[in-house]
Amino acid sequence: MADDPLRYSHSLYRDLVARLRSRPAWVLDDAAGDPEDEIAAVTEGETAMGELFFAQTEAEAQITLRFPDVEQGGAAQLLLDRPLDHRLEPSEDGFVGRLCRAQAGIASAHETPYLEPAADPSLLATVHVPPEPDDEILERTLGALDAIADEASQLHDELEGALTPYLDDADADPTTATSITEWEYLGSVRIKANAERISVPEDIFADGGVDPASERVYWSYNRDSGAVVLTNEPTGDGYESVATSALRTGESGNRLQVPAQLRPDDSDDNESSLDGDPVPLTTGERRHVVRRRAGTDDGIRMVYLVTDAQLQARLDGSVDQF
């Protein structure tokens, strides 16, 4: 591998990064590593393979750029992921098998000489970039990744939407402490490995959410449920404060710094600093962003980052609060 000419393809790797960054839908995850550092580590022989991540917030998809393509001896490999639920395991049977075939069908409709569809609940397609890629085919392939991500996202929305009428019936349970109509679903975020920041829906800044005029966002968690909470000012009884962080808006979207105590790579010291039992962020999981429309009685605007299990428990009435 030491004599592999791909190790010295600075320009090729930079071109691939530049092409991805130029596409409006995709945003480089700066927290995962600097492109120049990753490229230098490969070309100078410090590591066998570099890895960068690009997120498409609207479609909740991710592209992993790996270089060189160790599997096939090519220049690079692109992996397009968009899981319906990260806990689903590959299967040829039942619902998961049908989901995999449907997603593979979406990718097959956009197949190019470089793109291979995948029959997997998370991975949608793999792209193998040769040492001397054809410019037209490469651009067509990147456009195909855009289309596949969008269509898979639409499929997932339709599948989740099919559940809505049944969830609405369960949500109407009058015995719950707060009516589900008092809550608004803003979207979801995917937690990446060693995530220092997360992208949050734009609506988080609207009325009833975190106050956009606030310079800091307060992180805390519910002592009973462990649900992570974002507020525009310190929380009161029933919540344990963790830290504050700044809101950031810009071309890369709305970003929020995650306190070290709640990151996927928590250390023992960070864990011991928390008095209660929060549900920490876990690599690969999906967190749902929900808020109380009217805020609390004392005017605090609250946004919850809840797990699939916490959301489902609230919807089916097994708990009366997040």
Side-chain angles (χ1 to χ4, degrees), residues 297-309:
D297 292 339
D298 52 5
I300 297 178
R301 293 179 173 183
M302 309 187 77
V303 173
Y304 285 73
L305 300 180
V306 298
T307 64
D308 287 342

Side-chain angles (χ1 to χ4, degrees), residues 133-166:
D134 178 273
D135 186 72
E136 186 275 331
I137 294 177
L138 184 56
E139 278 301 304
R140 180 153 49 93
T141 300
L142 295 181
L145 293 179
D146 289 341
I148 294 168
D150 288 338
E151 291 177 27
S153 179
Q154 181 178 350
L155 169 65
H156 295 176
D157 289 344
E158 291 172 356
L159 290 172
E160 293 179 340
L163 300 175
T164 301
Y166 305 96

Side-chain angles (χ1 to χ4, degrees), residues 5-67:
L6 291 175
R7 283 192 172 279
Y8 305 97
S9 301
H10 294 78
S11 59
L12 177 56
Y13 297 149
R14 289 194 182 111
D15 178 65
L16 286 172
V17 172
R19 286 174 185 265
L20 284 167
R21 298 185 80 168
S22 69
R23 307 192 74 83
W26 296 97
V27 178
L28 175 68
D29 183 0
D30 296 320
D34 181 84
E36 286 300 317
D37 291 342
E38 289 290 308
I39 292 172
V42 171
T43 57
E44 294 173 11
E46 295 178 5
T47 185
M49 183 179 69
E51 194 170 64
L52 295 169
F53 303 94
F54 296 80
Q56 189 184 30
T57 305
E58 273 193 35
E60 298 180 30
Q62 176 178 287
I63 287 180
T64 302
L65 168 62
R66 293 175 179 168
F67 52 93

Side-chain angles (χ1 to χ4, degrees), residues 54-88:
F54 296 80
Q56 189 184 30
T57 305
E58 273 193 35
E60 298 180 30
Q62 176 178 287
I63 287 180
T64 302
L65 168 62
R66 293 175 179 168
F67 52 93
D69 184 352
V70 178
E71 291 182 9
Q72 296 196 4
Q77 184 182 72
L78 296 169
L79 306 173
L80 175 63
D81 281 278
R82 204 301 185 181
L84 173 65
D85 187 322
H86 72 279
R87 295 168 299 183
L88 294 178

Side-chain angles (χ1 to χ4, degrees), residues 239-269:
Y239 296 89
E240 188 71 32
S241 295
V242 176
T244 64
S245 62
L247 292 168
R248 294 286 184 264
T249 60
E251 294 182 358
S252 61
N254 305 305
R255 309 279 284 175
L256 188 61
Q257 189 83 10
V258 179
Q261 299 97 319
L262 294 176
R263 292 175 194 164
D265 59 338
D266 286 348
S267 66
D268 292 339
D269 288 340

